[in-house]
Amino acid sequence: MIVTCFIFLVLGLYIYPKISLSEMESFNKDSKNISVSNMIQFNDQVKINGDLLEMIGDIKGKTYKVYYSFKSPQEKKQFQQAPPIFKNCYITYNQREILPNTNALKFNFNEYLIQNQIDGVLNVKNAFIADCSSRSLNIIEHIQQYREQLILKLKKSSMKHIDDIIALSLGETRYLTDERREQLKKLGIYHLYAVSGSHVALVNVFLFRLLLKFNIKYEHAELIVFFLLPIYAVMTGMSPSVLRAVGVVMLFMIIRKMTYLDSLQILSITFILFTIISPNTIHDIGFQLSYIISTFLLLAIPIIKPFNLFYKILIVNLICQLSSLFILILHFNAFQWLGFITNFLFIPLFELIIFPIVMFFMILFVIFGNVPSFIIFIVESLLSETISLIEWIALLPIKDFVVRNLNSFSYFILLVTIIVMCYFIVKKRLFIAVVLFLVMLMCVSINFKSDKVMVKFLDVGQGDAMINYHFDTNKVVMIDTGGKLKSPKEEWKQRLKQSNYTDSVIVPELNEQGFNSIDYLIITHPHLDHMGELQKLSERIIIKNLIINENTWNTKELQMILQNVVKSNTKIIDSKQLETLKVGETTYRFFNQQSENHEDKNETSIVTEMNVFNKKLLFTGDATQKVENHIQDQLSNQYDVLKVGHHGSLTSSGESFISHIRPKMCIISAGRHNKYGLPKIETINTLKANQCKIYNTQDVGMITFTFERNHMMMTTGVIEYNKKTHKNH
């Protein structure tokens, strides 16, 4: 047995699919705006978000993610009523250049595309709906087309919570609001809205018993279920967990006729088959969660069979939570405390009451096209009460438990500890399991103090965001949040789901370092590209102190943002009352912090000097040359690092200012291909003339400085990415 396991381990390591990555000199590639026309075959995956259409299609044997912006509300309505699913369409497009994660964080969109067997991203230029034609479909595509038609029919219904019904019955979550998604994730019950293996098990049992009640022979009932399960898998979107569960059931039915294998062996066979057919599936987080939870449960079931019902429910829930813990920490550096409690309530509620009733509703809808009003009333009432409970619990001020990035050995120890805990749980030695759990959490969550300060200039496009990690005191100081400039849109163009730097950059960055709070957030001035993420950030993590020049936040919109931030128990500190700030052995000095309000908010930028282990850094926000001249005599005549003002525009970085402070390294934070043409060549020449080495987030992504007592290190996003390419070769 041991020899067999060793052979499989060696084979697994040898054939484990590694994603091929190429080295890059710069993230700032020339934008190729070459238009190409081709015929594309669309599948059933379609999303409409405001004025944005997103679909998947094949061109000459390659699969692409396709984006198109609607030109009018009439065109959008036309697509909503008759989306071009399973049609051939003639499109004119540009292929988008996909960058890796320029902030060296775990999630990479280009790797995500590879894992999902998508060869690229296209931006479509033409209104192509008139250039579409039907094509012949195979049996799976016919089922998928019927599924999409069913969803559209349900969407036309006036029922309350129809989006929740679609998610629960058909596994389609694209219509759920961002707010609902966040609530479900906070409670750790998002998996209940994604059709999973447990749903397949319930459907399997329900169908089998229903057929037997109609006096259908056991063998015939088994055969009918065997052919219906793949249809159910297609109807629910063919997620990895559903395919795994359906595969296990079907394989069990086949193998049982020939020989005897236990459930764990059958699960292993399906795992091998899936990874042979589609090797990159192994990278899918849903796939990993599905198999690790199933493995733990199958190992536990023989032991817990004699236990009473309550203890069985308790153990199954604990094992599900603990086995998923490893994957969640590995990929997201966090897990939800609430999940341990809410799953006890919501798993039985959903799987024994809500899911069967919703499925019964769906069967009636499919067969008859409408559902009796009293059943609609029951479904609406049940979902209304459940969603109200979810919303109430989601308001509880409980933050995620955050774990910093660990090394490989620490992840291995974490997994072994979880296995040992599960062993003690099934052996009814809960006290030992709880002690182990608490010790484990303590070990992985403690950020041990060290004489080290890390300064990160994040790549947030056309904006500024810097995070300073003071590991000597385990405190975090942030200067500006970045943010996207917003232009008013007509109602039909407004998107329910908006991308933001809080979710994609700032929170993941903090979590990967083991932090879920900011001790001091300094906003240099109230422009969106410097504070646009403030409100969203305050909703996601704890901001203990916010330092601003209060009299410059004088508009109704800015005051409303501050009111929302204060609701999160953030203390607002007026910069006029602050000259210095001491954090561990680092001293912050502030300049222009007492500025009067100006029409040009750049004139009010708070300039911050950071003195750490005898190294000096200067952060200037968007301070104008007028501000630079005003504070110049108060500054030192040598800085190790300068954050160049106003993204390298001509309004900042005057010759006299730069020659006075004599920076060794100059950091420019600007967006790729920005419409302002920043940084300006004149500014670059001024910096070079003063022997300053320039680093631009456009080119190198995030820029990190690590300061120790007698040492300073620097790295960038492009350097970290190239290290990763070497590991994958």
Side-chain angles (χ1 to χ4, degrees), residues 70 192 292 370 414 419 452 515 651:
F70 295 119
L192 295 174
I292 196 168
N370 52 51
L414 176 64
I419 293 170
K452 184 169 71 173
F515 295 94
T651 62

Side-chain angles (χ1 to χ4, degrees), residues 252-271:
F252 179 80
M253 290 178 178
I254 295 169
I255 290 174
R256 198 178 60 176
K257 302 293 183 184
M258 300 181 291
T259 184
Y260 176 78
L261 291 177
D262 62 34
S263 299
L264 194 58
Q265 290 169 318
I266 293 173
L267 183 73
S268 303
I269 292 170
T270 62
F271 179 86

Side-chain angles (χ1 to χ4, degrees), residues 144-257:
Q144 290 174 320
Q145 187 179 51
Y146 174 73
R147 174 180 183 261
E148 193 62 34
Q149 290 168 349
L150 185 61
I151 289 172
L152 291 174
K153 192 175 177 181
L154 285 164
K155 283 294 289 178
K156 292 176 183 177
S157 165
S158 58
M159 270 189 72
K160 290 191 292 185
H161 311 302
I162 196 65
D163 295 339
D164 299 84
I165 292 170
I166 291 170
L168 289 165
S169 58
L170 297 172
E172 186 53 75
T173 58
R174 69 177 183 252
Y175 296 109
L176 294 177
T177 63
D178 278 357
E179 185 181 14
R180 176 78 77 251
R181 291 170 189 269
E182 289 302 320
Q183 290 166 349
L184 295 170
K185 288 175 182 177
K186 182 175 180 179
L187 271 61
I189 58 170
Y190 188 72
H191 60 94
L192 295 174
Y193 266 64
V195 176
S196 61
S198 57
H199 297 82
V200 174
L202 286 170
V203 168
N204 183 41
V205 171
F206 174 76
L207 284 174
F208 201 75
R209 289 184 177 177
L210 183 66
L211 291 169
L212 292 177
K213 280 189 178 291
F214 281 99
N215 295 320
I216 295 173
K217 289 183 179 180
Y218 187 92
E219 294 80 7
H220 294 160
E222 194 174 56
L223 190 62
I224 292 170
V225 170
F226 183 85
F227 285 108
L228 286 178
L229 281 178
I231 296 173
Y232 177 73
V234 178
M235 284 291 290
T236 52
M238 296 196 296
S239 69
S241 57
V242 172
L243 290 175
R244 186 265 309 159
V246 169
V248 167
V249 173
M250 294 178 70
L251 200 61
F252 179 80
M253 290 178 178
I254 295 169
I255 290 174
R256 198 178 60 176
K257 302 293 183 184

Side-chain angles (χ1 to χ4, degrees), residues 346-373:
F346 287 107
I347 286 179
L349 175 62
F350 271 79
E351 297 195 352
L352 300 179
I353 300 173
I354 293 176
F355 181 67
I357 290 175
V358 168
M359 286 306 297
F360 181 64
F361 164 86
M362 186 59 65
I363 290 168
L364 292 177
F365 189 85
V366 169
I367 295 172
F368 302 108
N370 52 51
V371 180
S373 56

Side-chain angles (χ1 to χ4, degrees), residues 76-95:
K76 177 181 176 180
K77 188 175 181 180
Q78 187 181 11
F79 269 84
Q80 288 173 323
Q81 292 175 342
I85 58 173
F86 297 119
K87 289 189 175 181
N88 294 340
C89 299
Y90 195 75
I91 61 171
T92 301
Y93 59 88
N94 299 329
Q95 185 157 354

Side-chain angles (χ1 to χ4, degrees), residues 626-638:
K626 181 180 176 181
V627 173
E628 291 173 350
N629 294 334
H630 177 68
I631 65 171
Q632 180 174 309
D633 293 339
Q634 304 170 52
L635 300 175
S636 301
N637 58 5
Q638 178 79 71

